[in-house]
Structures are given as structure tokens and as C-alpha cells.
Amino acid sequence: MHLRYSYRIYPTAGQRAVLARAFGCARVVYNDALAARKEARKAGQPYPRSTDLQKLVITAAKKTPERAWLASVGVDPLIQSLRDLDTAYRNFFDSVSGKRAGRPVGLPRFKSKRDNRQSLRFTRNGFRIRSNGKLNLAKIGDVRVKWSRNLPVDPSSVTIVLDAAGRYHAGFVVDVEPEPLPEASAEVGIDLGLTTYAVLSDGTVIDNPRFLRRAEKKLKAAQRELSRKAKGSRNRAKARIKVAKAHAKVADTRMDWLHKQTTRIIRETQAVYLEDLNVRGLARGPLAKSVHDAGWSTFRRLLEEKAARYGRTIGIVHRAFPSSQLCSACGHRDGPKPLHVREWACGACGVLHDRDLNAARNILAAGQADRLNAPGGPVRPGVAIPRQARPVERGTRLGDLQPTGVRAAGAGGIPRL
Ligand SMILES: [Zn+2]
């Protein structure tokens, strides 16, 4: 399996200048190739092959006065730039034909000098890690790296990224064997909340971290500052960098925290069940800010990646599953509850429930039942259930439920419960 290991790097002023030129060259090659494909399409010609494009926008272009400067950077990142374009097209075609699940992918777009993220990819021949720990990039030189953790094996490629806050990162792709952890007995259901970050079916409460709130306050202050500066002024440019830095700080802090939470959960439990929240759908609604802040989709992605790596199972319970309406003790469906109702007593058996904990327990039960009912028996460990997971089926406690009439996001909708 492929994993990405990212590190902060500190190019010198001279190296930054060379990198800036290389970013520009990679972008121009990408845009030229995209333009060539668009023109071919307009002229009704067949889709140009990658090798032909490479000759056109790199080899031949270097010999023209307008593109002679392409020769000043290594050829490897330029070829990788064309590969990225191929990937972008492939994703588009697969999305149109229905081969690719998830959000529809649009046609590749031209890159701009003003994009927030500039990048450059080197394959194995284009970089080397020196014995002194520096990262050698072809035609750029030895760059200082902050090795925040060890690389497990030799990386197959590295992407150099410049973000809006002016920071440089090196993202290495490494191919590692899965390393299953000793089997754990615990399984948990997770309810993602708004007042708390998440509640686990074993009673663990994960709170929204306070340090994140502090970083966000700084970000808001920086944004206010920016909005007061005159357009096009130097001070506005400075304020914009400040905002970008504050953004980066929030993102880093959140990521770090999410890594810690997900690692702990994966270590301690054999199977994790989550609700298939339609995060994209929610993000457009009134809860937008909280949803984005919570970073739920990242939380889930990290869980899935770590599960695959460490031999754990992730099960996604369909989002139409009424996890907050069912009594986890007796299975009685107690009807919808407004968000402010944090506790309720079951109308059938009288058990007093904490809303989130009860939901987490229901998610656990539904996930386990779903897994047992899956065609071919329980899902193999380490194989994440695909995004559009099958809904919970009869044979759980849901047999007596009324049809919900709720339609799921994405293709297919849901069968009636
Ligand atoms: Zn009950």
C-alpha cells in the first residue's frame, strides 16, 4: 500500500528562486498540453497520446525561443506534470462513465501563477536523500529537511509543495506492506457530534480540543484585519500572508490532533463503525462551519487508512439509519428528537439515554449486524467497506421500522428499512 510522508523543508533563498522557476515550467508544460488536447478536440482530431504531447510541449518546445527556458530545469518534474494531467483526464472520464464513485470530477483546468498551491514532483531518478539528511533534488541542490518522523522505506517519489503561507513541504510516497497489529477484542461504534467531537459506544467522549479554538480565534482576528485593508495595498498583501499563516496553523494543529485520536482508536479496537454522514451535503446547510471545523471526512479517511495498514475493519453504517431514535437497550423506535434534547428516557423500557452514547451503541450494533449479513460472510479485516456501503438489513432490530422515505446521497438511494 502507498502512504505519504510529509516533512517541512527549508530551501535557501537561491533554491527558492530555482524552485519558483521550476514550478513555473511545470505549470506551463501542463497548460500547454491541456491547450493542445482542447484544440485537438475542437478540431475533431483524436485524443493526443501522452508520448506525442511530451515531444510537443517539452522536447520540441525547448528548441523554440518562447520556451527555451524550459531547458533550465530538470526534465523529470516536467514529465510528471504531464502525468498529472493524464491522471486528471482519466479521473474525469471515469467519473463521466460512472467508473469512479463519489463527487463528479470536472475537466482539468488551466493552472495559474496565483494558485494557492504550487507543486513539483520528482521520481526516483530525480532525488536522493543524502547521508547527512539533506534532500538532493536534481538541478536544485541539497535542501534542508525537518525529519519529524522516520521514513519506513525508500520513497518512490517526492512532491515539493509551496503553500499559500509560503511554507515548503516534501511529500514522499512510500510503498509499505500492511503490518497487522495483534488482534484486539474491542469493537466500537462512533457517533460524530456537534457539542462534543465524538462519542464512542464504550463511553469514551472525544471533546473538541480547546487549543484548536484558540488557533481559530487568531485566524478570525487576522481575517478581520485583512478585511479592513485597502484593496491592492501593500498592507493588504501583508495581511493576506498573515491570514494564510493562521490558516496553516489551524490546519496543522487539527491534523496533528486527528492523527492522535485515530491512532489511539485503531490501536485499541478491532472494528470501528461510523455513520455515513453526508458531510458534503451538511456542509452546504446551516451547520456548515461546525462541519468543516470538525474535519469529519478527514477523521474517517485517517481511520480507513490506518485500518487498512494495521489489519483493522471499518464499517460504514448507512446515514438513513435512525441512530438517534432507537433505544439501544430494547430496540424501540422512540421518534425523532430535536438537537437540543441531550437525554431521553425510552418510552418502552424506560432506560435513560445519553443521546450521543445511545447513538454510538446503535451504530455499533448496526455495523456488526451489517458485517455478519454481508455476502460471503464477515468482511475481511483490513478491507474498508466502500463508501456506498450496503444499508443495514432486516435481521437486526430494524425489521419493524416504518419506511423512512429518506434518500441517500450519491447513486442508488437506499432500499426501505
Ligand atoms: Zn428501550
Side-chain angles (χ1 to χ4, degrees):
M1 57 187 301
H2 287 109
L3 296 176
R4 180 179 285 266
Y5 279 67
S6 191
Y7 305 90
R8 184 92 186 259
I9 58 168
Y10 300 91
T12 62
Q15 289 167 342
R16 288 200 295 272
V18 183
L19 275 169
R21 198 176 336 130
F23 288 138
C25 289
R27 187 175 62 237
V28 163
V29 161
Y30 184 98
N31 287 346
D32 283 353
L34 179 54
R37 283 219 161 112
K38 280 184 189 282
E39 267 161 37
R41 190 186 149 83
K42 225 190 252 167
Q45 289 160 355
Y47 183 78
R49 290 186 315 164
S50 307
T51 45
D52 295 337
L53 274 183
Q54 193 175 315
K55 274 179 211 148
L56 177 73
V57 301
I58 303 177
T59 325
K62 273 184 192 174
K63 291 178 187 132
T64 66
E66 301 83 52
R67 293 280 186 265
W69 38 268
L70 285 178
S72 66
V73 301
V75 74
D76 183 43
L78 302 184
I79 295 172
Q80 298 318 312
S81 189
L82 290 183
R83 296 237 165 97
D84 290 344
L85 178 63
D86 284 341
T87 308
Y89 264 109
R90 201 178 320 120
N91 290 344
F92 166 71
F93 289 133
D94 286 353
S95 179
V96 170
S97 70
K99 237 205 253 171
R100 184 188 162 97
R103 197 166 52 135
V105 176
L107 268 169
R109 273 183 298 196
F110 289 105
K111 294 190 174 187
S112 158
K113 198 188 242 179
R114 278 173 287 278
D115 285 346
N116 275 335
R117 185 180 177 279
Q118 305 283 337
S119 71
L120 201 59
R121 189 150 48 92
F122 296 83
T123 51
R124 215 184 282 271
N125 297 329
F127 75 97
R128 220 154 24 122
I129 297 165
R130 301 245 189 236
S131 52
N132 65 6
K134 290 207 167 168
L135 170 64
N136 176 264
L137 299 169
K139 293 220 182 185
I140 287 164
D142 289 357
V143 183
R144 190 162 71 82
V145 183
K146 188 180 171 200
W147 297 103
S148 44
R149 53 179 175 158
N150 283 331
L151 267 178
V153 290
D154 267 349
S156 55
S157 75
V158 64
T159 303
I160 307 299
V161 176
L162 168 63
D163 68 17
R167 304 174 311 168
Y168 292 81
H169 285 92
F172 295 93
V173 172
V174 294
D175 193 6
V176 296
E177 292 295 315
E179 33 192 323
L181 288 169
E183 200 148 319
S185 54
E187 302 201 347
V188 291
I190 302 182
D191 180 62
L192 296 168
L194 290 173
T195 47
T196 58
Y197 188 83
V199 173
L200 276 52
S201 56
D202 63 6
T204 310
V205 175
I206 303 178
D207 265 318
N208 283 307
R210 220 172 281 150
F211 54 80
L212 197 51
R213 294 265 155 255
R214 276 205 295 274
E216 279 165 358
K217 256 189 202 154
K218 273 195 184 155
L219 171 59
K220 265 191 214 120
Q223 276 166 336
R224 267 196 306 273
E225 193 79 359
L226 171 63
S227 67
R228 280 199 288 264
K229 304 289 184 223
K231 283 213 171 109
S233 70
R234 269 192 88 88
N235 280 334
R236 190 179 173 88
K238 270 191 222 155
R240 200 198 308 281
I241 291 172
K242 233 181 178 175
V243 168
K245 282 191 172 156
H247 256 300
K249 174 83 182 153
V250 169
D252 286 359
T253 312
R254 179 185 298 143
M255 198 58 174
D256 193 52
W257 182 78
L258 284 171
H259 265 297
K260 279 192 191 122
Q261 301 303 324
T262 50
T263 297
R264 191 174 48 77
I265 292 169
I266 290 296
R267 269 193 195 291
E268 292 169 4
T269 50
Q270 187 59 35
V272 180
Y273 303 101
L274 293 163
E275 237 176 334
D276 182 14
L277 284 161
N278 180 359
V279 174
R280 273 179 219 292
L282 275 176
R284 270 181 240 116
L287 298 173
K289 191 178 177 309
S290 331
V291 173
H292 279 308
D293 282 0
W296 286 338
S297 48
T298 310
F299 180 74
R300 175 168 153 183
R301 179 175 59 78
L302 292 178
L303 281 175
E304 285 174 338
E305 284 175 7
K306 288 174 190 184
R309 184 165 182 203
Y310 296 114
R312 304 307 205 206
T313 302
I314 301 288
I316 306 299
V317 174
H318 205 278
R319 90 186 173 102
F321 172 67
S323 60
S324 58
Q325 301 182 22
L326 289 178
C327 167
S328 61
C330 74
H332 171 69
R333 186 175 183 172
D334 213 64
K337 316 254 175 301
L339 264 179
H340 70 266
V341 176
R342 307 313 308 166
E343 277 182 352
W344 54 281
C346 172
C349 73
V351 167
L352 188 66
H353 289 299
D354 170 90
R355 180 198 183 98
D356 298 338
L357 180 57
N358 177 63
R361 285 182 178 150
N362 282 328
I363 290 166
L364 171 64
Q368 286 173 330
D370 197 26
R371 208 173 139 199
L372 290 172
N373 291 341
V379 178
R380 271 167 297 136
V383 180
I385 296 176
R387 275 171 197 257
Q388 291 296 327
R390 294 167 344 100
V392 182
E393 290 193 339
R394 279 175 213 286
T396 68
R397 289 169 180 163
L398 298 172
D400 57 344
L401 294 181
Q402 297 299 309
T404 60
V406 179
R407 273 191 67 82
I414 53 158
R416 302 208 148 163
L417 289 171

